Amino acid sequence: MEKILALVFDLDETLIKSREGIICTLEVISKELGIVINPAIKGELVGPPLTEIIKLIAPNESVSNLQYLKQRFIEYYDNEGCLRSELFEGIKEMLLDLKGKCPNTHFLLATNKRSYPTHKILSYLEISHYFDAVYCIDSIDGSNLKK
């Protein structure tokens, strides 16, 4: 059997249920500008980078309003919204089992989420110790990223 050097995990909707916290945050901040989120796009609002999400919910807003929405998202999500995240059933057990079966394997996390809420969620859900490195959208040079 070949040695596995690293396992890379995604965060949102792979290890954690983050949809509720993201959607709740978007609804709170959009109400401040009287924006109604189109229910048909709610499925697209988890996963993409924050700037793209803001443009999806407010495609006709001015640049200054988009910047305001992004800043408000960061403020609300980092304080309250991210704590609505929950682990999918069996995730802790899976990580523990994999750590036992692959003791020399690096466990990496890659996410489009910013570093602050990512680490807050990992700590809150008590899974940060499973990962050897965490790569967030703002912790790497994003000049070559397409998403």
Side-chain angles (χ1 to χ4, degrees), residues 28-29 32 68-77:
V28 167
I29 66 163
E32 292 177 11
Y68 172 79
L69 285 168
K70 183 176 178 179
Q71 185 57 40
R72 284 293 297 131
F73 181 96
I74 290 168
E75 291 168 4
Y76 188 89
Y77 188 77

Side-chain angles (χ1 to χ4, degrees), residues 10-26 37 39-50 52-54 56-57 73 77 81 85-86 88 111-113 121 147:
D10 181 39
L11 186 62
D12 290 315
E13 299 304 310
T14 303
L15 297 178
I16 67 167
K17 301 174 193 176
S18 56
R19 182 173 308 280
E20 181 185 339
I22 292 169
I23 298 298
C24 174
T25 300
L26 291 169
I37 299 174
I41 66 164
K42 283 190 178 181
E44 302 171 39
L45 300 178
V46 177
L50 180 55
E52 290 180 29
I53 293 171
I54 297 299
L56 281 171
I57 68 164
F73 181 96
Y77 188 77
S85 299
E86 298 176 13
F88 279 107
T111 181
N112 274 327
K113 195 176 289 306
I121 290 167
K147 187 173 180 186

Side-chain angles (χ1 to χ4, degrees), residues 1-109:
M1 183 173 180
E2 290 185 36
K3 181 180 175 186
I4 299 172
L5 299 177
L7 290 172
V8 181
F9 297 88
D10 181 39
L11 186 62
D12 290 315
E13 299 304 310
T14 303
L15 297 178
I16 67 167
K17 301 174 193 176
S18 56
R19 182 173 308 280
E20 181 185 339
I22 292 169
I23 298 298
C24 174
T25 300
L26 291 169
E27 288 173 344
V28 167
I29 66 163
S30 63
K31 283 180 186 175
E32 292 177 11
L33 288 178
I35 297 167
V36 177
I37 299 174
N38 179 350
I41 66 164
K42 283 190 178 181
E44 302 171 39
L45 300 178
V46 177
L50 180 55
T51 302
E52 290 180 29
I53 293 171
I54 297 299
K55 287 179 185 175
L56 281 171
I57 68 164
N60 301 318
E61 291 295 323
S62 67
V63 172
S64 62
N65 281 352
L66 292 174
Q67 290 171 340
Y68 172 79
L69 285 168
K70 183 176 178 179
Q71 185 57 40
R72 284 293 297 131
F73 181 96
I74 290 168
E75 291 168 4
Y76 188 89
Y77 188 77
D78 287 4
N79 288 306
E80 295 180 46
C82 72
L83 297 179
R84 291 178 177 244
S85 299
E86 298 176 13
L87 286 172
F88 279 107
E89 187 175 329
I91 292 298
K92 278 187 183 178
E93 296 80 4
M94 177 201 68
L95 291 169
L96 183 61
D97 185 51
L98 286 171
K99 279 284 193 182
K101 290 179 179 174
C102 309
N104 299 317
T105 300
H106 295 285
F107 282 58
L108 311 175
L109 183 76

Side-chain angles (χ1 to χ4, degrees), residues 109-122:
L109 183 76
T111 181
N112 274 327
K113 195 176 289 306
R114 291 171 302 100
S115 185
Y116 180 81
T118 296
H119 289 283
K120 188 171 182 175
I121 290 167
L122 293 175

